[in-house]
Amino acid sequence: MAMTISPNSLNLFSLKQPSCFAKLKPKPLVNLTKNFNSDAVGMCCLRIREALNPAIVENVEYPDHLRVRILSESLPCIQNWSGKIVVVKYGGAAMKSAELKASVVRDLVLLSCFGLRPIVVHGGGPEINALLDRLNIPVHLHDGLRVTDAKTMEVVSMVLVGKVNKDIVSRINCAYPGGSAVGLSGIDSRLLTARPSPNAAQLGFVGEVARVNPAILITLLNRGHIPVIASVAADESGQAYNINADTVAGEVAVALGAERLILMTDVAGILEDKEEAGSLVKKMDVKGVKKMMEEGKVGGGMIPKVECCVRAVCEGVKTASIIDGRLQHSLLHEIISFHGVGSGTTITC
């Protein structure tokens, strides 16, 4: 029997896990793009049984039979995604409230427990703006990108690498005692090599991704960790650059051959009419996206998001989605979707 799952209906149980979760070690990753196998399905089913343990369910409003039914009918989706890499760009509205932060962390941990291999790439615009304001450093944007002089670059590194990254890592670790998150920037292990933006004269120390070295990410994924990446990288000489987090997420997804790229933003997705919230385009191909851009229906901060989605799917990522980070559990709703299209806009090649 088919069933529609909403974000609210998936807020079913606390993710406090028993000590036996510490014994669940992911199978070493041999082929990052290979579909799930019987061992992965078995692990998935084991973790579902652990989730149904009454001893770890707290403050639940739903009767047991409803919880069981929802998890049971979600199994085909979970099996389909088990063992696959999903790159999530986390930022914007989803970082502004305690409720939304908790929602994102719960979604990431639950997906990881179900056998997915999430990688988080984060921005931190509101946090950066707040510190710049306290330091009386003006904020300027050019084509949706932050203009970054030397003083601003110092603040960006402090906030993204030193504060936001460690806050996300800490939240995931507290919610996931059976595993762990590991915080990185693009500088660590030469994960990302930056180059100046073509508009460096206007943007300052804003960079692009010249290369991705995914070796450290593969190692972390194979050991069951959730990598959390701050979008700061250095060029060959060691000069640090601020790189748009959407762009970093797209390049990481391409380098790893990820199954899916998901960008969490402050709008419902791509709108046919920017002034009409109800004109959400649920699914479109690259040709349709480019047509909308030519017609001026995509602008401002949405431009780099759409561009990185287009590049990702053209370079082998199966689908790229732009979803509304203002909604609780929007990430979970996007993944556990029976038709492959969740609550935002999904772009295919």
Side-chain angles (χ1 to χ4, degrees), residues 37-70:
N37 55 31
S38 59
D39 290 336
V41 174
M43 180 69 73
C44 175
C45 293
L46 175 59
R47 288 177 171 177
I48 289 175
R49 289 198 298 272
E50 293 290 348
L52 291 172
N53 184 347
I56 63 172
V57 178
E58 300 176 352
N59 302 320
V60 177
E61 301 175 1
Y62 305 91
D64 288 343
H65 71 85
L66 179 58
R67 186 185 314 114
V68 171
R69 177 182 174 187
I70 291 173

Side-chain angles (χ1 to χ4, degrees), residues 227-264:
V228 180
I229 305 169
S231 57
V232 173
D235 64 13
E236 298 286 1
S237 68
Q239 171 61 53
Y241 284 86
N242 177 24
I243 303 180
N244 181 272
D246 299 311
T247 302
V248 171
E251 294 300 320
V252 168
V254 170
L256 285 171
E259 181 77 8
R260 194 159 194 174
L261 168 67
I262 299 177
L263 308 182
M264 304 185 74

Side-chain angles (χ1 to χ4, degrees), residues 67-79:
R67 186 185 314 114
V68 171
R69 177 182 174 187
I70 291 173
L71 285 173
S72 177
E73 294 191 9
S74 299
L75 183 58
C77 295
I78 295 167
Q79 287 175 320

Side-chain angles (χ1 to χ4, degrees), residues 106-279:
R106 287 166 65 92
D107 288 0
L108 288 168
V109 171
L110 181 58
L111 293 174
S112 182
C113 288
F114 281 158
L116 278 79
R117 298 173 181 267
I119 296 173
V120 181
V121 178
H122 68 84
E127 297 270 10
I128 294 171
N129 290 340
L131 185 53
L132 288 172
D133 183 61
R134 287 170 55 190
L135 297 174
N136 295 316
I137 300 175
V139 176
H140 301 290
L141 298 177
H142 179 78
D143 289 340
L145 300 175
R146 184 187 302 277
V147 177
T148 308
D149 58 15
K151 289 184 178 180
T152 302
M153 186 64 237
E154 185 175 3
V155 172
V156 168
S157 294
M158 290 168 57
V159 172
L160 293 187
V161 181
K163 182 181 180 183
V164 177
N165 186 271
K166 301 315 170 191
D167 179 66
I168 297 171
V169 168
S170 178
R171 288 173 182 272
I172 294 174
N173 287 343
C174 288
Y176 193 13
S180 68
V182 176
L184 304 164
S185 73
I187 298 173
D188 294 305
S189 193
R190 297 184 180 179
L191 171 58
L192 305 174
T193 300
R195 61 172 176 245
S197 166
N199 298 324
Q202 293 79 28
L203 295 173
F205 294 111
V206 172
E208 295 181 340
V209 178
R211 290 192 305 278
V212 178
N213 175 14
I216 185 63
L217 298 179
I218 295 172
T219 298
L220 292 173
L221 290 172
N222 283 340
R223 295 182 179 180
H225 301 297
I226 300 175
V228 180
I229 305 169
S231 57
V232 173
D235 64 13
E236 298 286 1
S237 68
Q239 171 61 53
Y241 284 86
N242 177 24
I243 303 180
N244 181 272
D246 299 311
T247 302
V248 171
E251 294 300 320
V252 168
V254 170
L256 285 171
E259 181 77 8
R260 194 159 194 174
L261 168 67
I262 299 177
L263 308 182
M264 304 185 74
T265 184
D266 296 351
V267 297
I270 300 177
L271 304 178
E272 180 67 31
D273 181 350
K274 289 184 288 185
E275 306 302 322
E276 178 52 56
S279 63

